[in-house]
Amino acid sequence: GAGVSQTPSNKVTEKGKYVELRCDPISGHTALYWYRQSLGQGPEFLIYFQGTGAADDSGLPNDRFFAVRPEGSVSTLKIQRTERGDSAVYLCASSQTGGSYGYTFGSGTRLTVV
Amino acid sequence: GENVEQHPSTLSVQEGDSAVIKCTYSDSASNYFPWYKQELGKGPQLIIDIRSNVGEKKDQRIAVTLNKTAKHFSLHITETQPEDSAVYFCAASLSGSARQLTFGSGTQLTVLP
């Protein structure tokens, strides 16, 4: 597609529930990133994929968070036993390889845990 | 890890004036410094970036300067227009973790007509 697509755009869930957030990167982009943005703050790194593998997951806050990218394209961020503190906008970005640092971000999924 | 501080948090300028946003970083090994513009309800959009082997870079009304010794970099917008109003974020990439950006906390720029 023309840009990075994230679905859903908004998600409201109850505390303790499981959620999945989806990211469709730009076609041909092999690098994919997840960031989390709390209100009034800059994005915070969560995880980076190169192809199918997680090259750096050092930003995942705890073991309730997990992300996959089984075919090297679409990625899913999974959050178990959601807590109110997980409420934020979850941003996905993609980029080409070959040393390019430029990211293209999607519009994000706004997650609200009530 | 890397720490990026950004100021001011809010900035109002008259249309046509210049705007300057400043950031400092903590890790001297950082080697890539992008700036992003974020409009309400949208993801951040890359507007300009600079690498540590360059001191200044310009793109039309936008310029970025980097002082490696002082570990700070700045965004300069000249001839501001109302459509420049948005939140601007600086970021730094730590050498060895080139794909992981550390962002500042953002500057809300308002250009008054």
Side-chain angles (χ1 to χ4, degrees):
Chain A
V4 177
S5 175
Q6 291 188 246
T7 54
S9 54
N10 278 284
K11 176 72 176 177
V12 181
T13 191
E14 291 181 349
K15 179 175 176 296
K17 298 289 189 183
Y18 168 83
V19 296
E20 290 190 350
L21 312 179
R22 177 188 167 108
C23 173
D24 245 298
I26 291 173
S27 178
H29 281 191
T30 59
L32 184 146
Y33 320 80
W34 284 98
Y35 282 76
R36 177 169 70 175
Q37 187 173 25
S38 300
L39 192 63
Q41 299 297 314
E44 225 180 340
F45 171 79
L46 295 176
I47 187 169
Y48 152 54
F49 287 90
Q50 183 58 49
T52 60
D56 183 352
D57 64 358
S58 62
L60 294 178
N62 52 58
D63 61 6
R64 296 187 297 105
F65 288 75
F66 190 71
V68 295
R69 195 185 184 201
E71 297 177 356
S73 179
V74 171
S75 176
T76 304
L77 179 65
K78 309 181 180 193
I79 311 174
Q80 298 177 322
R81 304 184 303 279
T82 51
E83 300 177 356
R84 292 198 178 87
D86 298 335
S87 296
V89 175
Y90 289 82
L91 293 164
C92 177
S94 69
S95 74
Q96 293 176 329
T97 57
S100 169
Y101 295 123
Y103 291 2
T104 301
F105 278 94
S107 295
T109 293
R110 179 174 298 280
L111 176 66
T112 304
V113 182
V114 297
Chain B
E2 175 65 280
N3 182 51
V4 177
E5 300 208 350
Q6 181 173 349
H7 59 94
S9 56
T10 61
L11 178 61
S12 292
V13 299
Q14 289 294 138
E15 182 177 357
D17 287 350
S18 295
V20 180
I21 302 170
K22 299 182 179 181
C23 289
T24 60
Y25 60 99
S26 61
D27 195 317
S28 56
S30 288
N31 58 7
Y32 173 67
F33 307 91
W35 286 87
Y36 284 84
K37 174 184 181 182
Q38 188 172 29
E39 296 173 330
L40 201 59
K42 297 185 179 179
Q45 178 188 9
L46 179 68
I47 56 172
I48 195 167
D49 58 12
I50 192 167
R51 288 176 170 77
S52 59
N53 58 345
V54 174
E56 183 176 0
K57 183 177 178 180
K58 286 184 180 179
D59 183 4
Q60 299 182 359
R61 296 185 297 108
I62 294 174
V64 57
T65 58
L66 171 65
N67 183 327
K68 287 176 57 181
T69 304
K71 291 190 284 188
H72 68 69
F73 56 113
S74 299
L75 177 71
H76 304 252
I77 306 175
T78 59
E79 300 171 22
T80 53
Q81 301 166 2
E83 51 266 37
D84 295 329
S85 296
V87 179
Y88 290 80
F89 292 98
C90 62
S93 174
L94 188 62
S95 177
S97 300
R99 304 296 182 178
Q100 179 186 125
L101 293 178
T102 300
F103 282 83
S105 56
T107 296
Q108 172 71 62
L109 174 65
T110 303
V111 180
L112 304 169

